[in-house]
Structure formats: structure tokens, C-alpha cells
């Protein structure tokens, strides 16, 4: 696999373990890592993650913790022992929650979710947040970085601003990526070429691949897009 395509992580949003394992068998040589989120984890738990870990690919454990510091620390300890490459929390859990998890992690990189890619400016109004999405994402990212995060999740459209504001080794994770199909619940979307050109460190792609009748074909096409649009400055 071309090394740049190591940036592509597939979101395994499945409940069924057998189906997930069969799917990983198909894609394992063409992705940089595997993202396991709430759907997989609430059905299959720690034992399920251990089964997926056996493939030897980096695991992005997307559990989006958001609770009081004590609860998050204890829950995080239960999964940090799995040594996932990445673990997510919500930045709006606040400074003390983030500092707490940053202080107990070992080799796992803690990634903060800024504003979900399923939200847009109108949703911020509903949530009584008096900011444009790019400004809101930037402020949350700065708080996260100062509190000890290794990286953030944002949409591709905020990357330019974030890359200027954050240290060089900071990790920029971008979901909300469409390719030849549109996921209707995602609002702040982009495509693989734009994501890589904008300096994304990890592209998270789920249903575009997992719901396809030929996942490997879509995966190869996405990997070609990534390679074609890669710029050496990333
Ligand atoms: O299927 P799709 O490509 O939209 O999947 C995106 C994945 O990224 C989902 O697993 C979703 O939970 C996750 N995610 C997201 N937006 C965030 C953080 C994570 O879509 N801000």
C-alpha cells in the first residue's frame, strides 16, 4: 500500500461481529486503520475490540466520552488497557475532563471531537452557541490543545484555520467525507481529494465504503484520489 493511504481509516459502523470480521478480511490490506465506534462497541464491547485488534492495524476507538472527569477517567481506564492508537472524547466536556484523561493515557493518542460534522451553523443557533462553526471549532480546538489533547476531529473546511493555529505535530482527523454518494445526515462535508490537499492527518470514511456493493473497488478509487491529491507539505 502507498504510504500516504495509511491516512485512510474505515469506520466499521456495524453491530454484527461476524459481519465486521468478514468485512475487515476484505479491506485489511487497503486501509491505514480501523475505526470502531458506538454501534460496534455497545454490541461487542472490549472482547469485540480485541478480536479486531488481531489484524494488527491501528485502532481508532471512537467512543466520544463526555461526562464528569471522574466518570470519564474510570471509563477511559477500561479501554486504555486495550492500547488503541487513538481514543476520542468530546471537547465540550471541558478543561478538567480533558486534563484528567490526558494525565492517565500512555501510548494512546487522545483526540477531541469539536463540532460534529452532522451539525451546521443553524444547529449552533439551536444549541444557543453564538458563533460561526469555523470560529467555534477553532476555539474548542485551542482549549483541547492547551488541555493536553494530541489532535482534534473537525470537518475539512476548518482545516486551513486550524493548521495555522495548532502546533505542527497536532493530529487533524476529518470525517464527513463523501465519494460518489452523499450521506444525508452529514452536513459539513468534503471529498477525499480536498481532505488530503487541506492537510488532513486521518480521513475517516464509513458508509461510502461499507454500504457499497463493491467495497474494494470504492476503496481503490478513494486511495487513487488520495495519492493524486497528496501535496508534499502535508
Ligand atoms: O458513514 P460516514 O462516512 O458518514 O461515517 C463517519 C464516521 O465518523 C461515523 O462513524 C461517525 O460516528 C464518525 N464521526 C463523524 N463526525 C464527527 C466525529 C466522528 O461523522 N465529528
Amino acid at each position: 500500500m502507498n504510504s500516504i493511504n495509511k491516512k485512510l481509516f474505515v469506520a466499521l459502523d456495524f453491530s454484527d461481529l461476524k459481519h465486521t470480521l468478514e468485512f475487515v478480511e476484505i479491506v485489511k490490506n487497503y486501509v491505514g486503520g480501523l475505526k470502531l465506534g458506538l454501534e460496534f462497541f455497545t454490541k461487542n464491547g472490549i472482547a469485540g475490540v480485541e478480536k479486531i485488534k488481531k489484524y494488527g492495524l491501528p485502532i481508532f476507538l471512537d467512543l466520544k466520552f463526555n461526562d464528569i472527569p471522574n466518570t470519564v477517567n474510570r471509563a477511559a481506564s477500561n479501554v486504555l488497557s486495550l492500547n488503541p492508537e487513538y481514543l476520542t472524547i468530546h471537547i465540550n466536556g471541558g478543561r478538567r475532563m480533558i486534563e484528567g484523561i490526558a494525565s492517565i493515557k500512555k501510548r494512546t493518542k487522545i483526540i477531541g471531537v469539536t463540532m460534529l460534522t452532522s451539525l451546521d451553523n443553524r444547529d449552533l443557533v439551536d444549541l444557543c452557541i453564538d458563533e460561526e462553526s469555523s470560529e467555534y471549532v477553532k476555539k474548542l480546538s485551542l482549549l483541547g490543545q492547551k488541555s493536553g489533547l494530541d489532535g482534534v476531529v473537525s470537518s475539512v473546511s476548518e482545516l486551513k484555520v486550524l493548521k495555522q493555529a495548532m502546533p505542527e505535530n497536532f493530529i487533524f482527523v476529518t470525517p464527513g467525507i463523501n465519494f460518489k454518494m452523499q450521506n444525508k445526515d452529514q452536513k459539513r462535508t468534503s471529498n477525499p481529494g480536498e481532505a488530503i490537499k487541506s492537510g488532513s492527518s486521518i480521513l475517516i470514511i464509513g458508509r461510502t465504503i461499507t454500504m457499497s456493493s463493491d467495497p474494494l473497488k470504492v476503496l481503490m478509487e478513494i486511495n487513487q484520489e488520495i495519492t493524486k491529491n497528496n501535496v508534499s507539505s502535508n
Side-chain angles (χ1 to χ4, degrees), residues 149-199:
L149 288 182
D150 298 291
V152 290
V153 185
S154 75
S155 82
V156 170
S157 46
E158 289 104 34
L159 280 184
K160 195 166 171 223
V161 173
L162 290 184
K163 292 211 85 149
Q164 281 168 359
M166 296 295 148
E168 213 169 305
N169 60 354
F170 209 60
I171 299 164
F172 300 96
V173 180
T174 55
I177 296 179
N178 294 321
F179 184 73
K180 295 188 176 174
M181 71 170 257
Q182 201 76 20
N183 293 312
K184 291 197 174 58
D185 58 345
Q186 297 279 28
K187 289 186 185 161
R188 297 187 350 278
T189 57
S190 187
N191 59 62
E194 274 311 310
I196 206 76
K197 273 194 280 188
S198 307

Side-chain angles (χ1 to χ4, degrees), residues 11 13 35 62 64 113 115-117 153 175 183 186 204-207:
D13 290 326
K35 187 182 89 75
D62 187 20
K64 297 190 179 72
V113 175
M115 173 184 171
L116 292 168
T117 40
V153 185
N183 293 312
Q186 297 279 28
I204 303 278
I205 306 185
R207 288 162 293 179

Side-chain angles (χ1 to χ4, degrees), residues 35-38 60-64 86-89 113 153:
K35 187 182 89 75
L36 297 170
L38 290 172
F60 190 109
L61 199 49
D62 187 20
L63 299 183
K64 297 190 179 72
Y86 306 93
L87 176 67
T88 58
I89 59 163
V113 175
V153 185

